[in-house]
């Protein structure tokens, strides 16, 4: 399978369909951290050890006959291709550092990503659309069980799976949901909710994980504890917190509609106007406007725009994909111009009608 396939398709698997509570929960991710017995962690291993780990993991997966994995070595990919893989949430930013001897194996539908030699020897990632914690975990667990049957994992009876960072020791599992929370952000309730979630043993980050911002009112909520709890307990705790957030967001949306409908409609349609007609469109403004239009569609205020187009633009608007699409390196201003042109083209009424006719 060619790298070109993953570069050309802007909308990755989890964006092409929807799951439960899809108006708020955009995706569910399970990530399992694993290491091989007898090797030092990536922070201290040698190039020779990295090569042996890479070879062992990739051979096991490519010979499995499952999912049609594609193998990519980070050091052999152009910087722009690596950036696009990050923007599609297929790899972490840390993996793209070529000095880390990193590689990735991707399933054809892009729901499964196995990162090799990131912070740990193996990072199994499974992403599903909408709110599907149990389904995503079952898929990740299936891959994990297969690899554990082929490779010797570093495991301790007292501490569980041994990981490079002590905070991942135990189950080695990070479960997360990516949530669109515009109403909680508009009403500023998110500022008091985040500390409360932290006290429950969860962490709230931006859409690209630790240290990232939350452009477009998109937040990633995940478990903070991996030791002392089973996988089922972690999933149950996260599910409980996510359902509370969903309920709070729905109430905030209802409040905005009942108390400030005209002001809300004005805000949402202004944002639609910007992304439909702007000639310069910075990434921050594009993210904010896409969030507003998404909210408008979910509230049935904005009609005749397919959500899949917004999902596509979420990826296309980012620097790596813009330059990949333009087939040229672009300055910041050139990206703002190109982004505006791209948005106008995709949101043209006749273009949307063409897309609808194709689906029929």
């Amino acid at each position: 399978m060619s790298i070109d396939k993953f570069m050309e398709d802007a909308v990755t698997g989890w964006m092409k369909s929807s799951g439960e509570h899809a108006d708020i929960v955009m995706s569910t991710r399970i990530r399992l951290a694993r290491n091989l017995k007898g090797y030092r962690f990536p922070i201290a291993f040698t190039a020779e050890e990295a090569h042996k780990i890479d070879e062992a993991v990739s051979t096991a997966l490519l010979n499995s006959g499952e999912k049609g994995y594609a193998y990519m070595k980070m050091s052999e990919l152009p910087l722009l291709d690596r950036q696009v893989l990050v923007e599609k949430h297929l790899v972490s930013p840390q993996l793209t550092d070529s000095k880390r001897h990193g590689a990735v194996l991707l399933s054809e539908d892009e729901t499964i990503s196995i990162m090799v030699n990131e912070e740990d020897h193996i990072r199994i990632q499974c992403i599903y659309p909408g709110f599907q914690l149990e389904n995503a975990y079952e898929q990740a667990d299936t891959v994990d069980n297969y690899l554990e049957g082929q490779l010797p994992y570093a495991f301790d009876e007292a501490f569980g799976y041994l990981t490079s960072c002590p905070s991942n020791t135990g189950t080695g599992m990070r479960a997360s949901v990516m949530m669109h929370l515009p109403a909680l952000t508009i009403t500023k309730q998110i500022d008091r909710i985040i500390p409360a979630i932290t006290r429950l043993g969860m962490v709230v980050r931006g859409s690209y994980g630790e240290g990232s911002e939350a452009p477009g009112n998109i937040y990633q909520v995940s478990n903070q504890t991996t030791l002392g709890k089973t996988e089922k307990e972690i999933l149950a705790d996260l599910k409980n917190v996510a359902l509370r957030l969903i309920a709070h967001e729905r109430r905030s949306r209802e409040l905005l509609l009942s108390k400030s409908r005209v002001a809300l409609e004005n805000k949402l349609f202004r944002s639609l106007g910007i992304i439909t007609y702007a000639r310069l469109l910075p990434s921050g403004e594009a993210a904010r406007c896409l969030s507003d239009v998404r909210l408008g569609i979910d509230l049935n205020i904005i009609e005749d725009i397919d959500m899949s187009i917004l999902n596509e633009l979420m990826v296309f608007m980012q620097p790596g994909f813009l330059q990949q699409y333009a087939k040229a390196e672009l300055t910041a201003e050139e990206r703002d111009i190109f982004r505006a042109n791209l948005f106008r083209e995709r949101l043209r009424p006749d273009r949307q009608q063409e897309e609808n006719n194709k689906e029929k």
Side-chain angles (χ1 to χ4, degrees), residues 23 40 57 101 105 180 203 235 249-250 283 299 308 326 354:
D23 58 326
R40 286 173 288 188
V57 176
H101 310 285
L105 292 108
H180 182 224
V203 61
L235 293 176
E249 173 66 19
R250 292 203 197 287
S283 59
L299 296 177
S308 65
E354 288 175 12

Side-chain angles (χ1 to χ4, degrees), residues 12-284:
T12 195
W14 63 266
M15 286 185 166
K16 292 178 181 176
S17 55
S18 61
E20 191 177 3
H21 302 296
D23 58 326
I24 294 174
V25 182
M26 299 176 68
S27 67
T28 301
R29 185 191 72 170
I30 300 293
R31 192 211 68 199
L32 303 175
R34 301 289 186 257
N35 288 281
L36 301 187
K37 186 178 180 180
Y39 293 94
R40 286 173 288 188
F41 294 133
I43 195 171
F45 66 12
T46 65
E48 182 181 359
E49 286 176 305
H51 174 72
K52 288 181 179 178
I53 292 164
D54 185 355
E55 187 174 45
V57 176
S58 59
T59 299
L61 285 165
L62 293 174
N63 291 341
S64 69
E66 296 291 331
K67 286 282 183 182
Y69 288 105
Y71 171 82
M72 303 169 208
K73 196 170 184 65
M74 291 296 107
S75 61
E76 296 174 359
L77 292 180
L79 178 61
L80 193 57
D81 285 359
R82 283 180 263 158
Q83 187 174 352
V84 169
L85 290 174
V86 172
E87 291 173 355
K88 294 182 73 177
H89 295 271
L90 297 177
V91 305
S92 68
Q94 294 89 336
L95 188 75
T96 61
D97 184 350
S98 59
K99 296 177 183 177
R100 300 177 71 96
H101 310 285
V104 65
L105 292 108
L106 297 173
S107 64
E108 187 172 2
D109 62 4
E110 303 183 7
T111 59
I112 300 173
S113 168
I114 295 97
M115 290 173 273
V116 184
N117 294 334
E118 194 229 32
E119 184 177 282
D120 293 288
H121 298 154
I122 304 170
R123 287 283 177 97
I124 301 167
Q125 174 181 282
C126 183
I127 302 182
Y128 271 41
F131 194 36
Q132 301 191 65
L133 278 169
E134 289 83 4
N135 291 337
Y137 172 70
E138 286 177 12
Q139 180 65 75
D141 189 47
T142 298
V143 176
D144 184 38
N145 287 337
Y146 170 78
L147 282 176
E148 192 165 17
Q150 304 295 313
L151 305 168
Y153 276 176
F155 183 84
D156 183 88
E157 290 296 333
F159 295 104
Y161 293 102
L162 303 181
T163 56
S164 179
C165 180
S167 65
N168 290 323
T169 297
T171 62
M173 183 176 82
R174 296 285 181 180
S176 64
V177 287
M178 192 159 70
M179 310 182 76
H180 182 224
L181 304 173
L184 287 175
T185 305
I186 292 170
T187 59
K188 302 190 184 302
Q189 294 182 68
I190 195 71
D191 295 333
R192 65 174 178 78
I193 286 175
I194 289 178
I197 291 174
T198 303
R199 289 193 292 272
L200 292 172
M202 301 293 158
V203 61
V204 182
R205 301 184 174 106
S207 56
Y208 287 94
E210 188 171 357
S212 65
E213 297 179 354
N217 305 314
I218 296 173
Y219 300 84
Q220 190 180 112
V221 184
S222 62
N223 64 295
Q224 200 165 25
T225 304
T226 61
L227 182 63
K229 289 186 176 182
T230 66
E231 289 87 351
K232 287 186 177 180
E233 288 171 335
I234 291 171
L235 293 176
D237 289 346
L238 179 57
K239 185 173 185 178
N240 182 47
V241 169
L243 287 173
R244 289 190 194 182
L245 269 174
I246 290 168
H248 281 306
E249 173 66 19
R250 292 203 197 287
R251 282 196 294 270
S252 295
R253 292 183 182 190
E254 291 169 3
L255 184 65
L256 286 171
L257 281 172
S258 63
K259 301 290 186 181
S260 312
R261 186 180 184 96
V262 174
L264 178 64
E265 290 182 347
N266 182 62
K267 174 181 170 61
L268 304 185
F269 279 109
R270 277 179 177 271
S271 290
L272 177 59
I274 289 172
I275 62 173
T276 305
Y277 297 108
R279 263 49 184 175
L280 276 169
L281 192 56
S283 59

Side-chain angles (χ1 to χ4, degrees), residues 264-337:
L264 178 64
E265 290 182 347
N266 182 62
K267 174 181 170 61
L268 304 185
F269 279 109
R270 277 179 177 271
S271 290
L272 177 59
I274 289 172
I275 62 173
T276 305
Y277 297 108
R279 263 49 184 175
L280 276 169
L281 192 56
S283 59
E285 185 175 30
R288 176 182 60 77
C289 291
L290 281 176
S291 172
D292 286 346
V293 174
R294 178 181 291 274
L295 177 60
I297 294 172
D298 289 337
L299 296 177
N300 297 315
I301 291 173
I302 295 175
E303 300 177 346
D304 302 324
I305 294 181
D306 194 323
M307 188 66 82
S308 65
I309 294 176
L310 298 191
N311 290 339
E312 180 182 296
L313 290 175
M314 275 180 58
V315 181
F316 265 138
M317 64 170 276
Q318 299 176 84
F321 236 112
L322 277 179
Q323 294 174 98
Q324 189 84 8
Y325 194 75
K327 301 188 185 307
E329 290 189 16
L330 304 174
T331 66
E333 183 178 5
E334 287 171 339
R335 290 199 298 269
D336 291 348
I337 294 170

